[in-house]
Each structure stands twice: as C-alpha cells, then as structure tokens.
C-alpha cells in the first residue's frame, strides 16, 4: 500500500516537472542531468523511435539492460524521458500541447514500469475511468475506510474469488 502511494506521488512529481512548455514553443527540459551523453545514446539505441518507447516489452528489456549497467531508477526514468521528449519534439505534425501530453503520459508509464519491476510482483494496469466513476469509487472507498486504489484492488480480488467459486460449483 505504501509502495503504491509513493509511486503515485513520485509520478505526480515527475509529471509536474517535465516537460516544460514555453508560451510559444515546446521544449524538452528535465530536473535531472543525464549521467553521461553515452548513456542517453545507449537508451536511444535500445529504444530507437517513439513507437519503441511505448512498447512495454522493449521498455522492460531496456530497463533490465540499464539496471545491469548500474544505472539508478531515477536516471533510467530521466534518460527515457529525455530520449522520448527529443523524439517527440521532432514530430512536425503535433501541436505543442499534444507533444506535452504525450511526454507526460510516457513519463508516468516509464516511472510505473521502472518501479513496478523492482519487486517483480507488482503489475499496474491502466484503465481510464470517467470522473463520475472515480467520484463514486472514492465515496464508497472512504465509507469503508480505504483509499480508492485499495478499494479497487479489494473489489477485483472479491470478483476473482467469486469467479473461482462459481467455476468449482
């Protein structure tokens, strides 16, 4: 539970820090400095284009390679975001707000992947929910003394147990 809260807070922090968009032009900035240009080139070699950057299998392989090379989680995320942002910045068909949205979405995905692979047990599934559904989840969860994510996890576990019981009968 604490790991999920930390991950959500860390993701929010990253999303508020990268990328910065000036009033006139999209710019790639990062609160961190890449450890070396060679490592950024290595990330670009492992994930050569924007399509590769959204391929979870390729990202997982790249994360494993960079970890073996001794790169910290924060630097892996920083390098992924730096490489992806540079790729997106070159996309002429996108508006500045579209570029920002893509980089922010990728930042969250990269952060979740890097930290979820830490234990090898956590898998995070992204499911878009309408604001009305999120509000309802939060109200029900609060009544039961749970956070929204904890209530969702509990509800899914209960549904799976019911499915298993129904199959046995």
């Amino acid at each position: 539970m604490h790991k999920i809260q930390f991950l959500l807070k860390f993701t929010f922090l990253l999303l508020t820090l990268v990328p910065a968009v000036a009033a006139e032009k999209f710019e790639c900035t990062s609160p961190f400095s890449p450890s070396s240009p060679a490592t950024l080139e290595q990330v670009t070699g492992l994930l050569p284009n924007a399509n590769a950057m959204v391929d979870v299998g390729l990202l997982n392989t790249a994360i494993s390679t960079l970890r073996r090379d001794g790169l910290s989680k924060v630097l892996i995320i920083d390098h992924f975001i730096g490489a992806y942002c540079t790729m997106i910045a070159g996309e002429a068909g996108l508006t500045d707000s579209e570029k920002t949205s893509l980089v922010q979405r990728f930042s969250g995905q990269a952060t979740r992947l890097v930290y979820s692979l830490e234990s090898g047990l956590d898998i995070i599934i992204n499911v878009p929910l309408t604001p009305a559904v999120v509000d309802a989840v939060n109200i029900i969860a609060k009544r039961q003394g749970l956070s929204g994510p904890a209530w969702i996890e509990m509800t899914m576990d209960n549904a799976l147990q019911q499915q298993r019981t129904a199959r046995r009968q």
Side-chain angles (χ1 to χ4, degrees), residues 58 81 83:
L58 287 174
I81 294 169

Side-chain angles (χ1 to χ4, degrees), residues 5 9 17 22 30 34 42 46 48 56-57 72 106 109 118 152 155:
Q5 290 173 342
K9 288 177 186 175
L17 295 175
S30 176
Q42 181 184 13
L46 292 169
V56 175
S72 71
F106 176 77
Q109 178 185 6
E118 180 178 68
I152 291 170
T155 303

Side-chain angles (χ1 to χ4, degrees), residues 4-162:
I4 291 172
Q5 290 173 342
F6 168 77
L7 184 58
L8 291 173
K9 288 177 186 175
F10 186 75
T11 300
F12 177 74
L13 174 67
L14 281 177
L15 292 177
T16 59
L17 295 175
V18 292
V21 178
E24 306 89 38
K25 187 178 175 186
F26 174 83
E27 295 177 17
C28 295
T29 61
S30 176
F32 309 106
S33 297
S35 61
S36 72
T39 306
L40 194 54
E41 288 175 15
Q42 181 184 13
V43 170
T44 305
L46 292 169
L47 304 163
N49 59 45
N51 290 332
M53 290 294 236
V54 294
D55 183 321
V56 175
L58 287 174
L59 284 171
N60 286 337
T61 301
I63 291 166
S64 297
T65 300
L66 295 171
R67 279 189 178 165
R68 274 193 309 273
D69 292 348
L71 212 60
S72 71
K73 293 178 205 110
V74 171
L75 285 176
I76 291 171
I77 294 164
D78 182 43
H79 283 76
F80 277 1
I81 294 169
Y84 185 74
C85 189
T86 302
M87 290 174 196
I88 294 301
E91 294 289 326
L94 298 173
T95 66
D96 287 347
S97 71
E98 290 171 327
K99 291 176 184 180
T100 299
S101 178
L102 286 170
V103 174
Q104 287 177 333
R105 196 170 325 135
F106 176 77
S107 299
Q109 178 185 6
T111 301
R112 287 186 299 274
L113 279 174
V114 169
Y115 280 91
S116 71
L117 291 178
E118 180 178 68
S119 70
L121 300 175
D122 296 335
I123 297 173
I124 297 174
I125 299 173
N126 290 325
V127 178
L129 302 172
T130 65
V133 170
V134 172
D135 289 343
V137 165
N138 288 331
I139 289 168
I140 293 169
K142 186 176 180 180
R143 285 183 192 148
Q144 295 181 11
L146 299 168
S147 68
W151 183 85
I152 291 170
E153 182 180 5
M154 178 192 71
T155 303
M156 289 177 64
D157 284 342
N158 290 341
L160 290 170
Q161 287 176 7
Q162 288 174 1

